[in-house]
Amino acid sequence: MGQFETRQIGSATIIALQDSWAALPPSAFFSSVESTSWKPYRDLLDGDGNIVLNLGAWLVRSQGRTVLVDTGIGGRPVQMPMQEPAELPSVMEAAGVTPDEVDIVVFSHLHFDHTGWNTVDDGGTARPLFPNARHVVQQQEWDHWTSGDPERQAARYDDSLAPLEQAGLIDFVDGEHEVTSELVAIPTPGHTPGHVSFVVASGGERAYLLGDAAHHPVQVTEPTWSPNADIDPRLSAETRAALFERIERERALIASGHFEFPGLGHAGRVDERLRFEPLEGGD
């Protein structure tokens, strides 16, 4: 079963939720990166030489609101080497939150591994899992993934998005958006056109929920390494480099749903180069 870990950011609480995880060869994810380029980063691979890809989401408790950031990969079959069944709802309940208690769902973007638990199968019909939540979507992101049949199929529109639309649960926003005064979406495009990350800022502390601005700790040091799924690799690399420079400058916490669980750490420097420094334990 997946795990959860809690961290306090000022008066806000963030909870890392593991839906599942995958292990795959670096070449299967970063196909443009030569295998020899990984030699300095063997410590970032598992014992079989694979990258470990967490499939996670985040709960944020802020100003009396319970916010879910992304909804994981979901319970439907997927072509991904998952190592455990996806169990986000059970992990959430272990962390003390039921689906009915979620007030807001926000999305970094609309790839299927971030929208998978938007719905559950109910006798052959997909129904919203978070019926009391407003689902906040970037308009540019929605427009991209609903622009044609190939995009709709890639986003699993019929199963994951259409039921929310039909139930009137979606609110569309553009660019920087204040979810609460402690939780703000900021544009981080490149992975997808309307991709956003989220800044949690409270009590003089800051954390950045990356979304897919980065997938693996190696990208803190090598921001030009763009994975196959980046729609605009060049823009993604520029966004990533600027984001990690900003995180280091602000001494903020990195909170990644794809770095090996729990995905919490800082951007530090060794020989003038940034690197990911995992956090030791949680609160």
Side-chain angles (χ1 to χ4, degrees):
M1 177 177 170
Q3 310 167 71
F4 71 91
E5 186 163 319
T6 301
R7 188 84 186 168
Q8 203 69 23
I9 306 295
S11 62
T13 303
I14 63 173
I15 305 175
L17 303 169
Q18 184 180 60
D19 192 17
S20 183
W21 62 283
L24 61 166
S27 59
F29 198 73
F30 294 99
S31 62
S32 63
V33 178
E34 296 290 338
S35 59
T36 54
S37 298
W38 283 93
K39 286 183 179 179
Y41 305 112
R42 294 295 184 188
D43 62 318
L44 299 180
L45 304 175
D46 70 9
D48 296 319
N50 292 322
I51 62 171
V52 173
L53 196 68
N54 184 42
L55 300 168
W58 296 90
L59 274 170
V60 181
R61 293 188 181 274
S62 171
Q63 299 175 327
R65 311 292 278 173
T66 298
V67 184
L68 180 63
V69 180
D70 294 330
T71 68
I73 198 164
R76 296 179 180 85
V78 294
Q79 292 184 334
M80 183 177 282
M82 292 167 57
Q83 302 299 302
E84 295 180 358
E87 296 188 6
L88 184 70
S90 298
V91 177
M92 285 179 58
E93 293 200 28
V97 178
T98 66
D100 286 352
E101 293 174 312
V102 175
D103 299 304
I104 305 169
V105 177
V106 294
F107 299 98
S108 60
H109 63 301
L110 297 181
H111 275 157
F112 70 88
D113 59 322
H114 293 256
T115 63
W117 286 108
N118 284 0
T119 63
V120 289
D121 182 77
D122 185 3
T125 300
R127 65 167 177 83
L129 179 59
F130 308 101
N132 300 322
R134 302 306 303 172
H135 293 64
V136 181
V137 179
Q138 289 285 322
Q139 185 72 60
Q140 185 179 12
E141 188 74 1
W142 180 270
D143 291 346
H144 173 80
W145 293 108
T146 59
S147 61
D149 287 342
E151 289 79 12
R152 286 173 181 250
Q153 290 175 14
R156 303 194 170 197
Y157 172 82
D158 290 344
D159 285 340
S160 297
L161 301 178
L164 304 182
E165 186 179 29
Q166 292 161 4
L169 295 178
I170 299 178
D171 294 328
F172 294 104
V173 297
D174 287 301
E176 187 168 310
H177 172 71
E178 187 177 279
V179 184
T180 75
S181 65
E182 298 175 322
L183 177 63
V184 178
I186 58 169
T188 48
H191 181 64
T192 61
H195 187 281
V196 292
S197 301
F198 294 89
V199 185
V200 182
S202 178
E205 300 181 69
R206 297 172 78 84
Y208 283 76
L209 311 184
L210 302 183
D212 280 9
H215 292 77
H216 191 270
V218 74
Q219 293 175 286
V220 179
T221 308
E222 302 285 359
T224 61
W225 290 16
S226 291
N228 305 339
D230 281 0
I231 289 177
D232 187 335
R234 186 172 181 176
L235 178 57
S236 175
E238 293 172 357
T239 293
R240 188 161 39 251
L243 183 61
F244 286 130
E245 291 284 348
R246 175 175 173 175
I247 288 170
E248 187 220 9
R249 185 171 62 252
E250 296 178 359
R251 298 183 179 179
L253 187 66
I254 291 170
S256 169
H258 280 313
F259 290 12
E260 192 167 355
F261 186 87
L264 295 167
H266 292 94
R269 286 195 183 270
V270 175
D271 298 328
E272 299 303 314
R273 302 194 74 191
L274 288 178
R275 72 170 183 179
F276 179 66
E277 298 175 345
L279 204 63
E280 295 294 333
D283 289 342

